Amino acid sequence: MPRPAEALLDVINDWGVDRLFTCPGSTEAAVLDALVLREDVELVLTTHEGVAVSMADGLARVTRRPTVAYLHANVGLTNGLSNLGAAQLAYSPVVVLNGIKPSSIQAREGFTTARRMRDLVHQYVKSDWQSLTAQAIPEDVNRAFRTAVTEPAGPVWVALSQDLMESTADVGVPDAAAYRFDSRVRPAPDAVRAAADLLAAAERPVLVAGGELARVGAVDELVSLSERLGAPVLHEDRRGFERPGFPTDHPHFRGQYEVGHPLVRRADLLAFLGARVFNEFEPARVPPLPTGVPVVHSHTDPRHVGMIYGVDAALIGDQRLVLEALSTALSKALPPVPPREVPPAAPAAPRAPSASGGPLQPADVVDVITDSLRGSAIVGDATTAGGILQQRAHQHTGDDYFVSTSGSLGWGMGAALGVAMGMPHRHVAAVLGDGVFQFGLPALWSAARGGLPVTYVVMNNQSYAAVGAALRRYGGEAVARQRYPGVDIAGPRIADVSTAFGVPGRRVDSLADLRECLDAARTVDHPTLVEVMTDPTTFGP
Amino acid sequence: MPRPAEALLDVINDWGVDRLFTCPGSTEAAVLDALVLREDVELVLTTHEGVAVSMADGLARVTRRPTVAYLHANVGLTNGLSNLGAAQLAYSPVVVLNGIKPSSIQAREGFTTARRMRDLVHQYVKSDWQSLTAQAIPEDVNRAFRTAVTEPAGPVWVALSQDLMESTADVGVPDAAAYRFDSRVRPAPDAVRAAADLLAAAERPVLVAGGELARVGAVDELVSLSERLGAPVLHEDRRGFERPGFPTDHPHFRGQYEVGHPLVRRADLLAFLGARVFNEFEPARVPPLPTGVPVVHSHTDPRHVGMIYGVDAALIGDQRLVLEALSTALSKALPPVPPREVPPAAPAAPRAPSASGGPLQPADVVDVITDSLRGSAIVGDATTAGGILQQRAHQHTGDDYFVSTSGSLGWGMGAALGVAMGMPHRHVAAVLGDGVFQFGLPALWSAARGGLPVTYVVMNNQSYAAVGAALRRYGGEAVARQRYPGVDIAGPRIADVSTAFGVPGRRVDSLADLRECLDAARTVDHPTLVEVMTDPTTFGP
């Protein structure tokens, strides 16, 4: 029988995991040592725990399988927390193993211990536990995987103290296969019937596709449903959007949900499928749901349904099973549901070309990015340009565009590397803000080390433009004096920082140069970065 | 009467605080707007919350006054936590104000909210609170200052929701002066007498000086006591050391506490004054206290006394008052305490010069650093070279050398800026490891922006040498195969990264070039960085 560290790697491997993302300390010696002889689990070294967690998250998002981040002590955990929040919101089954100091010095409040480690993490995980004996480690880790992948999936945390991990005890390894089962559920028949009745009776239903559809692979089912119903489809509200639940190039696609959208204004039924209703950025200035329009809300996670707004029909369960059940119920409806005609899309407003010669405008830059990177998977982590990017990025599948609703700046720099690991035949780009860049930049080390051909595009407006926009909305002395404290972060030559990290960078200030850089980036077999200078006075919405 | 944001700045200023360290988001619009018209409180913008906290900590350490870090939402708090741990261990009265989302969306689990924010922070602060009304904000913040500075001092946390901060209510401002009082305490007379009796009776007492003496300005009192007693003085154990409690150039100074130290082996009394006993890195291999030798332990914070080892006399209270009381008690002792002769220091072992031509050895580099930077204040944040640095750095006062026992890598990069702000007439250098550098590097932005003449010295061994040392101690497959996973972090050209951030950097690989760089750095009025390449195979202890 193996020792604890070997058994732990056996469990990990039994769950199909072949990488372990970490930024280790001395506490993790046993597992590092056990990795020396393993061919089945690769150590992916990072230089910051935030990168370890976001890489594990990105990989889980595309493979839809569990991943492992191994953190170090209380300091490593706190450094990884904000990106763990991102993994949680994405339902990523990231198993966080946390090396902690030997039991005896925990009690004595020794170096890098915390009396209540679990208070730090419990809000970000489905389960938190500290193994109490060496014998329990394989079982505890196995249970962590089982809990992480059970739907709704999500991160789980297990603390492993150094004394137990270095124990010479032989320990048993559970049979992981016996803990893997299909945990998806379907709504009760009445609930399906009620929702189907509403859909069948509606004359102008609008379907709102949430990122959860993409996570569980239910996008095709929504395409069928929308075609069956002749119903237009919107992506969910911007603040809840994490990935596309419907192809933007489908003839039924009509943009993104907002209460003022013409189709929403004329709708007689709204069906939110795998969507948040809503992830509020601030208290709504206008009610985000039209008055008197029935609402169907479907989500894998019951936590979201009825969280803020009451519903007329609720569907709790796996979104693919939900859509299949709905489809079956609709096919049995009497009288048969007639196909409706989807209202034509509003003609795109001609986009006024920006005056040439001035500083680049974010919208023009986004146009070049989304045009040049058509076919690439894009990870978005740009606070103020994010809205435009989301509207214009090509999203044919649920794996074409990824963002986080966590507000964890810098998440995208590591997540893009995990996404690239999970899609080795696909070009991956990360579109970042310059503020974001400073939060995630140890990811450049991992990019260089891994040689992953990820393209980082940093839109450098030299500003915390979101803060500027907030001050403008606030309308106080900042506006009166045209002085915006806390906004100007000009200075770093981001392309040069990147080059110094081993990721060749180039700064551009024309759209032609940007296009040339992006075209070149797609053909090389290593990471690159392009820093595009944009107008610092465009604060965004 | 002012509105909440103005009142908050009034309270801050009433407590003598003229800087507010922040990395803001939209949630903080009200306070940013209020700052537009203020001349009495300066916004110190940072590009990462870890930097905001460590700057506030560094400034508090040297000014011994409260400072303010204003964090953003749950993401900003988690990003700042590991450095908040450093502030806590240093008893720095950092008042952490935390902008949080409006009350209504907190309940709805909106963007960047957390249901239990306080669980994240309570272990790192003396008090955590969320203001419940706009009217309460000035009072809550005032109370936070009062709690932070009351001895033993430490960080305090107050969450301020956006709706309350943006309220148009007029609010009262408490009279801060009425909340400032001398909170220092002295031990009971019996306790002083018991300790004095032990000291008077001992023939070979050894005094162990802790960083707490430096914090409360009691170093001179220890000098007097050691001279009065004719007792040798050691700095506290390396793992508990945060700043020098005794001048290294005093004739009674005899090095650093360890149980094998010749003076400890012959001692008949050990008096730990303002020291940790002990901050354990791992379970002790040999007992860290000699058997049968009486122990006096004195600390401001009762938490440390008797935490691990029993004591023969305990002195709880302000360390200056404790030393004064001890001195008075000793002067009354009958028979009078005879002055003893301090045993001579062991002759320094001649240091073998390293073979020239090979890679630079950390010890040689540290010799050049400590020699060239004699007179500068040094902030140490180098994991494996830290031990040598601590032994060799010149420490005439309690403000000559600062480290953190928190294990929060990167802390020193921001802390050095705060230290420099607090000592404008002093040259400040930060000595860092290359691993550390990647954790703290947004501090370079603040260094460049602030133009503070801090010198960053990065000892680049291209390794997590502490991990390598741990694997070597572990003595398993890594040693057998001479393969050390998780150690090699070679790659970044750190000097170039720094230059790209606006802090001119230079890479050197000879001691002569290092010396030249350091000499030049002390004469310029802006920050600089020198990256010195050292031997990647020297893993350290």
Side-chain angles (χ1 to χ4, degrees):
Chain A
M1 290 207 293
R3 288 163 59 173
E6 293 151 19
L8 178 140
L9 295 174
D10 288 343
V11 173
I12 287 175
N13 192 252
D14 282 354
W15 280 90
V17 169
D18 56 6
R19 290 184 178 92
L20 188 153
F21 298 94
T22 191
C23 177
S26 58
T27 313
E28 288 73 58
V31 77
L32 294 173
D33 197 73
L35 280 164
V36 169
L37 298 183
R38 303 290 287 224
E39 310 253 310
D40 56 347
V41 181
E42 178 195 355
L43 177 80
V44 181
L45 184 61
T46 70
T47 53
H48 194 287
E49 294 83 1
V51 181
V53 171
S54 57
M55 287 180 79
D57 177 21
L59 181 61
R61 288 188 196 216
V62 294
T63 59
R64 298 169 173 82
R65 299 178 60 82
T67 56
V68 174
Y70 209 126
L71 307 183
H72 168 68
N74 64 334
V75 286
L77 175 59
T78 51
N79 285 339
L81 274 184
S82 61
N83 284 344
L84 189 58
Q88 180 188 39
L89 288 168
Y91 299 95
S92 293
V94 177
V95 173
V96 178
L97 304 177
N98 202 147
I100 60 175
K101 285 287 185 173
S103 304
S104 63
I105 80 159
Q106 289 171 40
R108 294 167 169 194
E109 303 192 9
F111 183 71
T112 63
T113 64
R115 290 177 75 86
R116 303 197 219 166
M117 280 286 274
R118 292 157 72 174
D119 284 5
L120 293 170
V121 74
H122 72 82
Q123 293 171 89
Y124 295 104
V125 290
K126 293 179 68 179
S127 163
D128 54 277
W129 185 247
Q130 174 175 340
S131 285
L132 301 178
T133 66
Q135 284 71 21
I137 288 175
E139 176 186 323
D140 290 341
V141 173
N142 183 61
R143 189 180 300 110
F145 275 96
R146 164 260 183 205
T147 304
V149 301
T150 300
E151 292 292 339
V156 171
W157 182 86
V158 184
L160 302 168
S161 67
Q162 187 179 344
D163 51 330
L164 302 188
M165 284 295 290
E166 295 187 358
S167 156
T168 56
D170 287 333
V171 298
V173 178
D175 173 19
Y179 298 85
R180 275 196 289 271
F181 44 83
D182 188 344
S183 62
R184 296 174 303 159
V185 297
R186 291 179 295 163
D190 286 357
V192 176
R193 209 169 306 123
D197 287 347
L198 285 170
L199 280 168
E203 293 178 6
R204 299 176 303 282
V206 172
L207 308 179
V208 182
E212 177 64 5
L213 301 180
R215 181 182 76 89
V216 299
V219 173
D220 289 348
E221 282 68 17
L222 182 60
V223 167
S224 301
L225 182 71
S226 89
E227 291 172 354
R228 167 80 186 76
L229 290 172
V233 182
L234 304 176
H235 277 168
E236 71 185 305
D237 175 80
R238 179 193 162 194
R239 294 295 179 179
F241 182 97
E242 292 224 322
R243 57 201 290 184
F246 196 77
T248 55
D249 51 5
H250 187 279
H252 288 196
F253 181 70
R254 289 293 178 272
Q256 193 148 32
Y257 181 85
E258 50 180 330
V259 70
H261 190 292
L263 290 179
V264 175
R265 293 163 69 111
R266 70 184 279 283
D268 64 351
L269 179 72
L270 292 169
F272 294 90
L273 304 165
R276 296 280 299 268
V277 183
F278 297 93
N279 181 36
E280 296 180 317
F281 181 79
E282 55 190 3
R285 283 148 205 251
V286 293
L289 286 173
T291 313
V293 179
V295 166
V296 175
H297 191 188
S298 173
H299 208 287
T300 314
D301 190 349
R303 179 173 155 270
H304 290 310
V305 179
M307 161 73 85
I308 302 174
Y309 299 101
V311 295
D312 296 276
L315 296 163
I316 307 291
D318 175 78
Q319 295 299 292
R320 194 153 72 179
L321 298 181
V322 163
L323 292 178
E324 285 169 4
L326 266 185
S327 186
T328 304
L330 284 167
S331 70
K332 293 181 190 156
L334 283 176
V337 182
R340 302 167 189 81
E341 195 150 321
V342 178
R351 215 171 283 158
S354 303
S356 61
L360 294 183
Q361 296 304 311
D364 299 323
V365 170
V366 166
D367 276 346
V368 172
I369 292 171
T370 52
D371 186 48
S372 297
L373 297 180
R374 198 177 167 92
S376 302
I378 292 180
V379 177
D381 191 2
T383 307
T384 36
I388 318 171
L389 182 66
Q390 193 161 305
Q391 285 162 24
R392 303 192 187 168
H394 179 238
Q395 300 159 50
H396 179 64
T397 78
D399 287 2
D400 285 349
Y401 184 60
F402 300 88
V403 292
S404 171
T405 56
S406 64
S408 179
L409 305 187
W411 159 86
M413 292 182 70
L417 301 174
V419 167
M421 283 178 165
M423 303 199 299
H425 304 299
R426 189 99 190 266
H427 177 249
V428 176
V431 180
L432 314 164
D434 57 313
V436 162
F437 175 79
Q438 289 207 41
F439 282 83
L441 50 77
L444 293 175
W445 184 88
S446 292
R449 174 61 60 103
L452 293 161
V454 167
T455 306
Y456 289 108
V457 186
V458 183
M459 295 178 60
N460 186 354
N461 63 5
Q462 304 130 72
S463 304
Y464 286 143
V467 174
L471 284 168
R472 206 169 267 173
R473 287 197 300 275
Y474 189 70
E477 292 299 334
V479 172
R481 316 247 160 183
Q482 289 292 301
R483 279 168 46 199
Y484 294 92
V487 171
D488 170 17
I489 56 163
R493 296 197 312 278
I494 287 172
D496 292 351
V497 171
S498 181
T499 303
F501 263 100
V503 176
R506 185 175 156 201
R507 177 183 275 197
V508 300
D509 51 16
S510 79
L511 297 178
D513 287 349
L514 173 62
R515 193 179 294 275
E516 181 195 308
C517 275
L518 294 177
D519 289 348
R522 294 184 62 168
T523 66
V524 297
D525 62 354
H526 58 79
T528 56
L529 180 142
V530 52
E531 173 190 18
V532 50
M533 305 306 289
T534 64
D535 188 347
T537 65
T538 307
F539 283 162
Chain B
M1 290 207 293
R3 288 163 61 172
E6 294 151 19
L8 179 140
L9 295 175
D10 288 343
V11 172
I12 287 175
N13 191 253
D14 282 354
W15 281 90
V17 169
D18 55 7
R19 289 183 179 93
L20 190 153
F21 298 94
T22 191
C23 177
S26 58
T27 313
E28 289 71 58
V31 76
L32 294 174
D33 198 74
L35 280 164
V36 169
L37 298 183
R38 303 289 289 224
E39 311 254 307
D40 55 348
V41 181
E42 178 195 356
L43 177 80
V44 181
L45 184 62
T46 70
T47 53
H48 194 287
E49 293 82 1
V51 181
V53 171
S54 56
M55 286 180 79
D57 176 21
L59 181 60
R61 290 189 195 214
V62 294
T63 60
R64 298 169 172 81
R65 300 179 58 83
T67 56
V68 174
Y70 208 126
L71 306 183
H72 169 68
N74 63 335
V75 285
L77 176 59
T78 50
N79 285 339
L81 274 184
S82 61
N83 283 344
L84 190 58
Q88 180 189 39
L89 288 169
Y91 298 95
S92 293
V94 176
V95 173
V96 178
L97 305 177
N98 202 147
I100 60 175
K101 285 286 185 177
S103 305
S104 63
I105 81 160
Q106 288 172 40
R108 296 167 168 194
E109 304 192 6
F111 181 72
T112 61
T113 64
R115 290 178 75 87
R116 304 197 218 166
M117 281 286 275
R118 291 157 71 174
D119 284 5
L120 294 169
V121 74
H122 70 82
Q123 293 172 89
Y124 295 104
V125 290
K126 293 179 66 179
S127 163
D128 54 277
W129 184 247
Q130 173 175 343
S131 284
L132 301 178
T133 66
Q135 284 71 23
I137 288 176
E139 177 185 324
D140 291 341
V141 173
N142 183 62
R143 188 179 302 110
F145 276 97
R146 165 258 182 208
T147 304
V149 302
T150 300
E151 291 293 339
V156 171
W157 182 84
V158 185
L160 302 168
S161 69
Q162 188 178 346
D163 51 329
L164 302 188
M165 283 297 288
E166 295 187 357
S167 157
T168 55
D170 287 332
V171 298
V173 178
D175 173 20
Y179 298 85
R180 275 198 289 271
F181 44 82
D182 188 343
S183 63
R184 297 175 302 159
V185 297
R186 290 179 295 163
D190 286 358
V192 176
R193 209 169 307 125
D197 286 349
L198 285 171
L199 280 168
E203 292 179 7
R204 298 175 306 280
V206 171
L207 308 180
V208 182
E212 176 66 5
L213 301 180
R215 182 183 76 88
V216 300
V219 174
D220 289 348
E221 281 69 16
L222 182 61
V223 168
S224 299
L225 182 71
S226 90
E227 290 173 353
R228 168 79 187 75
L229 290 171
V233 182
L234 304 176
H235 277 169
E236 70 185 301
D237 176 79
R238 180 194 161 194
R239 295 295 180 180
F241 182 97
E242 293 223 321
R243 58 201 290 185
F246 197 77
T248 55
D249 51 6
H250 187 280
H252 288 195
F253 181 70
R254 289 291 178 275
Q256 193 148 32
Y257 181 86
E258 49 180 330
V259 70
H261 190 293
L263 291 179
V264 174
R265 294 162 70 110
R266 70 184 279 284
D268 63 352
L269 179 73
L270 291 169
F272 294 90
L273 304 165
R276 297 278 301 268
V277 183
F278 296 92
N279 181 38
E280 296 180 318
F281 181 78
E282 56 189 4
R285 283 147 206 252
V286 292
L289 285 174
T291 312
V293 179
V295 166
V296 175
H297 191 189
S298 172
H299 208 288
T300 313
D301 191 347
R303 179 173 155 269
H304 290 308
V305 178
M307 161 73 85
I308 303 175
Y309 300 101
V311 296
D312 295 277
L315 297 163
I316 308 292
D318 175 78
Q319 294 300 292
R320 194 154 72 178
L321 297 181
V322 162
L323 292 179
E324 284 169 5
L326 267 185
S327 185
T328 303
L330 285 167
S331 70
K332 292 181 190 155
L334 283 174
V337 181
R340 303 165 188 81
E341 197 150 321
V342 178
R351 215 172 283 159
S354 303
S356 58
L360 294 183
Q361 296 304 311
D364 299 324
V365 170
V366 166
D367 276 345
V368 171
I369 292 171
T370 52
D371 186 48
S372 296
L373 297 180
R374 199 177 165 90
S376 302
I378 292 181
V379 177
D381 192 1
T383 306
T384 35
I388 318 171
L389 183 66
Q390 194 161 305
Q391 286 164 23
R392 303 191 188 168
H394 179 237
Q395 300 158 52
H396 179 64
T397 77
D399 288 2
D400 285 349
Y401 183 59
F402 301 88
V403 292
S404 172
T405 56
S406 63
S408 178
L409 305 187
W411 161 85
M413 292 182 71
L417 301 175
V419 167
M421 283 179 166
M423 303 199 298
H425 304 299
R426 188 100 189 265
H427 177 250
V428 176
V431 180
L432 314 165
D434 58 315
V436 161
F437 176 79
Q438 289 207 42
F439 282 84
L441 52 75
L444 293 175
W445 184 89
S446 292
R449 175 60 61 101
L452 293 160
V454 167
T455 305
Y456 289 109
V457 185
V458 183
M459 295 178 61
N460 187 354
N461 63 5
Q462 304 132 74
S463 306
Y464 286 143
V467 174
L471 284 167
R472 205 168 269 175
R473 287 196 300 272
Y474 189 70
E477 293 298 333
V479 171
R481 316 248 160 181
Q482 288 293 299
R483 279 168 45 199
Y484 294 92
V487 172
D488 170 16
I489 56 164
R493 297 198 310 280
I494 287 173
D496 292 351
V497 171
S498 181
T499 302
F501 263 99
V503 175
R506 187 175 154 199
R507 178 182 273 198
V508 301
D509 51 17
S510 79
L511 297 178
D513 286 348
L514 173 61
R515 193 179 291 276
E516 180 195 310
C517 274
L518 293 177
D519 289 347
R522 295 184 61 166
T523 66
V524 298
D525 62 354
H526 59 78
T528 56
L529 180 144
V530 53
E531 174 189 16
V532 51
M533 306 305 288
T534 64
D535 188 348
T537 65
T538 306
F539 284 163

